[in-house]
Amino acid sequence: MNILIVDDLKAVLDSLQNGVNWTAAGIDEVYTAGSAKEAKLVMMNFDIDILLTDIEMPEEDGISLFQWTKKMQPGIVGIFLTSHAEFEYAREAIRLGGFDYILQPARMADVESCVKRAVDEAQQNKKIKRLEKSTEALFDQRDGMLELLCERGRENRLKDCESLFKSLKESYLTDFENASFHGIRIQLVRFDTKKNRWDSGLMKLVFRNVLEELFGEVYAKATIACMDIMNYVIFIAAEKGAISEEQWKTGVEAFAGFFNNRMEFRVAVYPDLYEMTEYRDERTQAIRSSCLENQQNKPGIYWVGLQTDVVTDENAQRIRMAEDYIKANVNRAISRTEVADYLHLNEEYFSRVFKKYTGRTFKDYDIGYRMELAKKLLEQTKLPISIVASKVGYDNFSHFSKLMKKYTGFSPQEYRKSKS
């Protein structure tokens, strides 16, 4: 463990450097600096685990130095030297993530005790950092195996695929006794690669986080293969049988709905209905075929292994008309029956096609659109909340407030205040 002491008074530096039993405190190397500028030079050239700094210094104070340090070395532990007159500064330093403060003039025994505790904290931070790196390496390893499996699948090298699938399954032995996989392919549609700043790494991170959150109740892990910036293959790993058919359908629908209604692009999702405990080439081929059949790159969910209504060009146009109808009538309550009649469709058939195209039920889509409009009105206007409720179709103010709370986590008043 290495410590850096920063103080503009040389007498203080010498006193601390020579007066504390650093070996007993768990410190291997002690560095000193007489200013924040000098301290930054030290930290750019040496590994520093603990920063012990005076708060009040000329040119740049200790709090500003600590904030810079946290950006450069997030795991560093900060201790602040302060006088009674600077006590409020010390409290601010702790609020910003500092570990502790020491009142001056300090007893060497107090400094040693504080540094000992800081050493324990720094060691924990290092363990967490190592664990994070190990986890990232495991993600990369699994993602790499799946990418290779997909490549070998396209080349019809089935023996290699079986071996890679087995290796991927074995990599989950620390997570599951008997891992099984649900396969899904994601195709980005209505995605402008020139305007979007999304790269494959960021896309994988978002896909992984959303899926693992959606299947968090059963504890599931996502392995993702990037075929190119527009196409991804994902295996959702979980204990065999842990994800029921209904849970799988619900999770996939929520996943598609999230991206198709909240992001600047849309996705076509090709999920396999069945889970795999061993490599089944016919399943991966079926997913690939389902993707190829969507030649016009229509967004929505295309189940593999489940017979559902196909989103034809005619149906896609009808769903767009339904979306327009919802937007045109946002100031009043409308029902699924009303919209189905407007489109001259059977209500149940309309419900199935609407959900397949948008990834959401009619009710969820309708509420979601109204809540997003309400958010904009609360943020961008000073209209009374009762008027905002009326403009998005809710005459019952209490009902509107409950929906806002459920949708955003805030009441209308709280949401407006948080954006002011």
Side-chain angles (χ1 to χ4, degrees):
M1 287 282 132
N2 298 333
I3 190 169
L4 170 62
I5 310 171
V6 187
D7 200 298
D8 60 309
L9 298 176
K10 188 174 186 304
V12 175
L13 288 178
D14 292 342
S15 175
L16 289 170
Q17 188 173 18
N18 300 317
V20 176
N21 186 341
W22 296 109
T23 302
I27 298 298
D28 301 307
E29 196 71 44
V30 179
Y31 297 90
T32 61
S35 67
K37 182 178 181 181
E38 188 179 339
K40 290 177 181 179
L41 290 173
V42 173
M43 282 186 280
M44 284 189 286
N45 289 281
F46 300 97
D47 291 328
I48 303 299
D49 304 295
I50 300 169
L51 173 67
L52 174 59
T53 180
D54 186 18
I55 287 184
E56 192 63 32
M57 294 186 295
E59 296 184 11
E60 183 176 357
D61 63 31
I63 294 177
S64 175
L65 171 63
F66 178 65
Q67 288 178 300
W68 178 88
T69 304
K70 289 291 283 185
K71 292 179 181 178
M72 298 295 292
Q73 300 180 36
I76 200 165
V77 178
I79 304 173
F80 299 90
L81 296 168
T82 180
S83 67
H84 286 285
E86 301 159 355
F87 185 70
E88 287 303 318
Y89 288 109
R91 293 181 62 180
E92 176 66 9
I94 299 303
R95 188 187 68 79
L96 292 172
F99 176 71
D100 205 348
Y101 61 89
I102 300 171
L103 288 173
Q104 297 195 90
R107 294 190 315 123
M108 295 302 134
D110 293 338
V111 175
E112 183 179 324
S113 174
C114 186
V115 171
K116 279 183 179 179
R117 290 185 291 105
V119 166
D120 291 338
E121 181 78 5
Q123 288 174 337
Q124 287 299 315
N125 289 347
K126 284 194 169 185
K127 286 181 181 178
I128 292 170
K129 190 174 182 180
R130 285 196 296 269
L131 182 60
E132 288 175 346
K133 285 186 176 180
S134 176
T135 302
E136 290 175 5
L138 186 57
F139 283 160
D140 291 343
Q141 180 188 17
R142 289 170 175 169
D143 291 354
M145 282 192 283
L146 182 55
E147 287 182 10
L148 188 56
L149 189 154
C150 292
E151 289 177 10
R152 295 294 183 262
R154 288 198 300 268
E155 298 166 357
N156 292 317
R157 295 167 61 172
L158 301 187
K159 289 293 184 183
D160 289 349
C161 290
E162 291 170 359
S163 177
L164 286 163
F165 186 92
K166 183 180 178 181
S167 296
L168 181 60
K169 185 175 179 178
E170 288 174 350
S171 76
Y172 279 103
L173 285 175
T174 55
D175 299 281
F176 312 109
E177 289 185 15
N178 186 11
S180 68
F181 298 94
H182 282 80
I184 182 170
R185 181 163 181 159
I186 310 297
Q187 180 185 21
L188 302 186
V189 296
R190 303 186 190 176
F191 181 84
D192 190 334
T193 55
K194 294 182 179 178
K195 293 182 179 179
N196 276 285
R197 298 180 180 180
W198 294 77
D199 59 22
S200 60
L202 180 57
M203 198 68 73
K204 286 171 66 174
L205 176 65
V206 175
F207 285 159
R208 194 189 314 275
N209 288 344
V210 172
L211 284 166
E212 291 184 358
E213 176 69 23
L214 288 171
F215 293 101
E217 290 185 6
V218 296
Y219 183 68
K221 294 291 182 181
T223 297
I224 306 176
C226 173
M227 311 315 296
D228 54 60
I229 188 62
M230 304 294 285
N231 293 276
Y232 299 80
V233 174
I234 305 176
F235 275 10
I236 309 299
E239 195 67 55
K240 182 181 178 182
I243 301 177
S244 68
E245 183 176 312
E246 187 60 33
Q247 285 174 312
W248 178 233
K249 290 180 183 178
T250 301
V252 169
E253 288 165 0
F255 176 83
F258 176 85
F259 287 96
N260 284 337
N261 293 289
R262 298 191 178 209
M263 307 301 282
E264 64 267 33
F265 55 85
R266 287 195 169 185
V267 295
V269 182
Y270 308 90
D272 192 352
L273 181 63
Y274 309 108
E275 66 178 342
M276 293 192 297
T277 55
E278 58 184 21
Y279 182 73
R280 300 284 298 278
D281 186 60
E282 67 271 19
R283 303 310 316 149
T284 56
Q285 293 291 353
I287 294 175
R288 193 176 302 128
S289 297
S290 181
C291 181
L292 292 173
E293 288 170 6
N294 184 20
Q295 295 182 358
Q296 294 183 324
N297 296 333
K298 298 289 186 180
I301 304 175
Y302 300 82
W303 284 99
V304 180
L306 179 68
Q307 294 298 318
T308 57
D309 300 296
V310 176
V311 178
T312 62
D313 286 344
E314 183 180 5
N315 281 343
Q317 178 62 31
R318 285 169 170 166
I319 298 307
R320 282 192 287 272
M321 290 172 64
E323 290 174 322
D324 292 338
Y325 191 88
I326 292 170
K327 296 172 183 177
N329 293 278
V330 70
N331 63 331
R332 67 180 184 88
I334 58 175
S335 66
R336 187 180 70 177
T337 303
E338 177 182 342
V339 180
D341 288 344
Y342 169 72
L343 297 173
H344 307 293
L345 291 176
N346 172 273
E347 184 177 347
E348 293 302 318
Y349 178 79
F350 164 70
S351 179
R352 291 197 302 272
V353 174
F354 187 93
K355 191 171 185 179
K356 186 169 184 64
Y357 182 82
T358 66
R360 303 171 79 182
T361 64
F362 172 84
K363 181 179 179 181
D364 287 343
Y365 185 97
D366 181 55
I367 292 174
Y369 179 76
R370 294 172 191 272
M371 291 298 101
E372 288 298 321
L373 179 57
K375 284 166 59 179
K376 288 182 180 179
L377 291 172
L378 289 169
E379 292 176 33
Q380 301 172 7
T381 75
K382 295 182 179 180
L383 290 171
I385 292 174
S386 59
I387 299 299
V388 172
S390 177
K391 282 185 173 291
V392 296
Y394 296 100
D395 294 325
N396 186 321
F397 180 80
S398 176
H399 181 52
F400 169 69
S401 295
K402 288 179 180 177
L403 284 175
M404 276 291 294
K405 183 77 172 179
K406 182 177 181 181
Y407 193 81
T408 67
F410 299 96
S411 68
Q413 296 92 335
E414 291 170 343
Y415 183 83
R416 172 171 275 172
K417 186 176 180 180
S418 71
K419 298 299 179 179
S420 62

